[in-house]
Amino acid sequence: MRPVGLPEIPEQTVVVARAAFPKGSLAIRVRDHLAEVFADEPFSEAFGLRGAPGLSPGVLSLVTVLQFAEDLTDRQAAAMAVRAIDWKYALGADLTDTGFDASVLSKFRARLADNGMERVAFDRLLEHCKDAGLVAAGGKQRTDSTHVISAVRDLNRLELAGESVRAALEALAVAAPLWLAGQIDVTEFADRYGPRVDGWRMPPSQTKRDRLAQVFGQDALALCRAAWAEDAPAWIRQIEAVHLLRQVLVQTYIIRSDSRGRQVIKKRDADDGVPPGQLRLASPYDTDARWAAKGDDLFWMGYKIHLTETCSTLPDADADADAGAGAGAGAGAGRVPNLITDVHTTDATVPDVKATAPIQRKLAERGVKPAEHYLDSGYPSADLITKALEQGIRMVTPVLLDRSAQAKAAEGFDKNAFTINWKTRQVRCPAGRTSSHWNPVKQHGTDAIVITFSVLTCRDCPFRQQCTTSKIGRRMLTLRPEELHENLARARTEQKTETWKNKYALRAGVEGTINQALDITGIRRARYRGLPKVRLQHAFSATALNVIRLDAHWATGPLDRIRRSSRLERLSYRLSA
């Protein structure tokens, strides 16, 4: 790479582009306003110092942003670089320039993913917006997540077992054909694993399916034993498909000894145990995709994305503009567009609460830490609320209410009915009696305090039926440490007020941002395989959304939200006149 940045725009290209687009276009305005964002120097570590000169990574990153802004494939993006006048203007290309092969974009993404440079373009654009005064620390930001479907097909456990054997055989047929031929009957295995394994070719009866599952397991075990034999070449075991086959074998099957002492392979059932979801492979072609569920209706294999954006707009303005989507032009005191400040991608099994701290940490590192952070109920915990307050971030979020039986039934005495004396380490119940034990413990890796009342104290209490249904006949309470408990109690009380509810309405605008990301950049489906490349896709998707919102800000002004009357309304006006 020879770092030169975006080339100068040829004079003839300027003349033709201005004539073809007298009002400008997104690509033209991006080049005019953001040329310094797409520089070559930030990518220098991903490129060698020797060899033939390559295409400018700044140019390729600009192409990729425009590609995501228009939801194009690699071939379509390469074609646009040749035939679209405004793209030629943005790239600084001659009118006669023949462009580049579409495979260049794939290689460019792979280079970025391999070197951890997925967010370079996003971070540089965010830094530019900070310098322009469009984004700053303090203020309000909001975050929400949505599911992302992987780029590989869904497989049930039986299909996964068979397809994992097939993937290993395909890899070995290329890497070690002679070794493979000496280990298996190639003709038999070619007949069994030639076509891909899917439900359409499965036998109809359960008995035959169970037999097929055993055959897949026996074939997988035979391949693994051959690969890990002492006389097998060590590099055979380093082939990714072979390594994954061994992992699928362990998570899907169990080897036992029968009554005669022979080893028998058997498919795992619920009693045998299976690995937890975050460790369980779902496909031999995407090792990072995971199965996850949300509620009773949503079940998917893939990833999860969290988008964080500024929200200087008022709740009413967000509602009028489809919850802040569309052009994303801001309203209110700042009169700036709502811009995405962070994009965080995980596998599908990571709960939202695990993403809160990493998101806030990245916002602080980039100098855009919010003063108020609006989130839904999946993100907070007592620890996170307290830690955020220490860092100057107030989390505006509904916390989970007391889940005790008394609180759920709205009968009897929940935790709020007890008086806690933190100095004397005692709790007084509604009947005026004090606890007998105060035990600090660790529960699920967090600090807690277990409060116990004596059986003698509770036995003769007239309110025992309202207080506890324990067979032992005594009440127990589990509390968080003092600061966490008080922060949690304060949040639960505050979120019941109308003032808080009106304030929290501002969070709804992020739903429109996610809908815009789905419609424009197609983030619902992963374009690529593996978490690094999916993160790259999401980083460029967020960059494209910011570019689109900035373009609307440049072209129409920061507060151009004219509501156009419908035809029916205009007819009503004419009739009433």
Side-chain angles (χ1 to χ4, degrees):
M1 183 191 72
R2 296 176 180 174
V4 294
L6 298 181
E8 291 292 331
I9 308 173
E11 183 179 351
Q12 188 178 11
T13 302
V14 173
V15 173
V16 175
R18 295 298 183 188
F21 298 92
K23 295 183 179 181
S25 70
L26 183 144
I28 291 175
R29 283 187 286 270
V30 166
R31 175 57 192 259
D32 291 342
H33 291 83
L34 302 175
E36 68 276 10
V37 171
F38 302 97
D40 289 341
E41 288 80 2
F43 301 97
S44 58
E45 294 183 3
F47 291 81
L49 301 176
R50 304 177 61 185
L55 289 175
S56 163
V59 170
L60 293 178
S61 63
L62 175 54
V63 170
T64 306
V65 170
L66 295 175
Q67 173 187 4
F68 277 87
E70 300 189 25
D71 197 16
L72 304 177
T73 65
D74 288 352
R75 291 185 181 276
Q76 290 171 332
M80 287 290 285
V82 176
R83 69 189 183 201
I85 300 300
D86 56 339
W87 278 47
K88 284 184 178 291
Y89 179 96
L91 303 179
D94 290 319
L95 295 179
T96 57
D97 189 280
T98 58
F100 51 83
D101 189 80
S103 62
V104 171
L105 294 174
S106 175
K107 295 176 181 178
F108 174 66
R109 291 192 302 269
R111 191 180 291 270
L112 295 185
D114 292 342
N115 289 274
M117 295 184 173
E118 302 94 340
R119 293 172 58 103
V120 169
F122 176 82
D123 290 339
R124 285 186 61 82
L125 179 59
L126 185 62
E127 193 66 28
H128 171 86
C129 293
K130 283 175 55 183
D131 296 339
L134 299 175
V135 178
K140 303 175 182 180
Q141 296 186 34
R142 52 197 178 195
T143 299
D144 200 8
S145 66
T146 188
H147 65 285
V148 179
I149 301 171
S150 65
V152 294
R153 63 191 177 98
D154 297 347
L155 300 174
N156 58 39
R157 294 179 64 203
L158 179 57
E159 292 171 333
L160 175 61
E163 194 63 26
S164 297
V165 177
R166 180 174 177 268
L169 291 172
E170 289 291 304
L172 290 169
V174 175
L178 296 180
W179 179 87
L180 181 62
Q183 304 297 325
I184 64 170
D185 184 341
V186 175
T187 303
E188 178 185 351
F189 275 62
D191 181 65
R192 188 179 305 153
Y193 298 103
R196 73 177 189 175
V197 179
D198 58 42
W200 294 103
R201 296 184 177 88
M202 294 291 176
S205 69
Q206 186 61 45
T207 302
K208 292 182 178 179
R209 284 175 177 262
D210 293 340
R211 172 57 187 161
L212 184 60
Q214 190 173 8
V215 171
F216 288 158
Q218 292 171 345
D219 292 343
L221 182 60
L223 274 177
C224 288
R225 283 177 173 171
W228 270 266
E230 293 183 359
D231 58 343
W235 58 269
I236 292 287
R237 298 186 286 274
Q238 298 175 1
I239 299 175
E240 184 181 22
V242 176
H243 178 74
L244 294 178
L245 175 63
R246 188 185 190 188
Q247 188 172 341
V248 172
L249 176 64
V250 171
Q251 75 177 36
T252 309
Y253 294 93
I254 187 170
I255 300 175
R256 292 175 174 171
S257 298
D258 61 9
S259 57
R260 298 182 181 181
R262 297 176 301 181
Q263 285 189 336
V264 178
I265 188 168
K266 173 182 174 292
K267 189 177 179 182
R268 288 181 180 269
D269 54 28
D271 296 333
D272 299 318
V274 294
Q278 62 267 30
L279 300 178
R280 190 164 60 246
L281 287 179
S283 170
Y285 306 111
D286 189 343
T287 59
D288 296 322
R290 294 291 185 269
W291 283 106
K294 186 175 182 180
D296 298 329
D297 302 325
L298 182 58
F299 188 56
W300 82 100
M301 182 179 76
Y303 304 91
K304 186 184 290 186
I305 180 176
H306 304 260
L307 291 177
T308 303
E309 69 167 357
T310 57
C311 52
S312 58
T313 56
L314 299 172
D316 293 340
D318 277 341
D320 291 340
D322 292 338
R335 291 179 176 267
V336 294
N338 294 334
L339 297 176
I340 297 174
T341 54
D342 185 70
V343 53
H344 183 72
T345 306
T346 66
D347 70 68
T349 62
V350 179
D352 290 351
V353 69
K354 296 292 185 181
T356 306
I359 291 172
Q360 293 178 347
R361 183 173 60 252
K362 286 189 290 184
L363 292 175
E365 290 173 353
R366 289 169 176 80
V368 290
K369 180 177 67 175
E372 292 185 350
H373 195 183
Y374 292 73
L375 310 108
D376 64 26
S377 60
Y379 288 92
S381 70
D383 302 83
L384 290 171
I385 292 173
T386 302
K387 186 176 180 180
L389 283 173
E390 294 173 354
Q391 298 173 350
I393 302 175
R394 178 179 174 81
M395 292 173 59
V396 183
T397 171
V399 297
L400 296 179
L401 300 176
D402 186 358
R403 306 305 296 172
S404 64
Q406 295 84 354
K408 288 181 180 178
E411 297 178 355
F413 305 125
D414 59 12
K415 291 180 183 178
N416 292 331
F418 292 77
T419 303
I420 305 170
N421 191 323
W422 297 96
K423 292 183 178 180
T424 61
R425 304 178 72 176
Q426 285 186 323
V427 174
R428 184 177 298 276
C429 74
R433 304 179 182 184
T434 57
S435 61
S436 58
H437 295 89
W438 178 289
N439 300 316
V441 298
K442 283 277 188 181
Q443 290 185 346
H444 308 291
T446 60
D447 294 326
I449 301 170
V450 176
I451 311 298
T452 309
F453 286 81
S454 171
V455 175
L456 298 177
T457 300
C458 296
R459 179 181 299 168
D460 300 328
C461 179
F463 304 112
R464 192 178 71 173
Q465 297 299 323
Q466 298 172 262
C467 188
T468 180
T469 58
S470 169
K471 293 181 180 180
I472 302 176
R474 65 180 181 182
R475 179 66 185 265
M476 297 179 65
L477 297 174
T478 301
L479 307 177
R480 302 304 309 277
E482 181 177 2
E483 183 180 10
L484 303 183
H485 176 83
E486 291 180 352
N487 287 338
L488 197 60
R490 188 183 306 112
R492 285 172 174 168
T493 302
E494 185 181 20
Q495 70 189 38
K496 297 178 181 179
T497 64
E498 288 299 322
T499 301
W500 185 91
K501 292 178 181 178
N502 293 333
K503 182 177 183 179
Y504 183 68
L506 184 60
R507 192 212 68 88
V510 74
E511 303 283 355
T513 296
I514 288 180
N515 187 66
Q516 184 185 23
L518 298 181
D519 291 343
I520 294 178
T521 66
I523 63 168
R524 172 69 74 225
R525 292 189 174 273
R527 291 186 176 210
Y528 319 116
R529 301 176 184 176
L531 188 55
K533 288 190 176 180
V534 175
R535 282 177 175 157
L536 180 145
Q537 173 191 346
H538 293 165
F540 274 105
S541 295
T543 308
L545 288 180
N546 279 345
V547 164
I548 291 171
R549 294 181 169 194
L550 288 171
D551 178 63
H553 177 70
W554 300 325
T556 62
L559 195 57
D560 186 8
R561 288 189 171 183
I562 300 175
R563 180 178 178 272
R564 300 186 182 280
S565 301
S566 68
R567 293 183 176 85
L568 182 60
E569 288 175 317
R570 292 198 294 270
L571 175 60
S572 175
Y573 296 152
R574 289 200 301 269
L575 293 176
S576 61

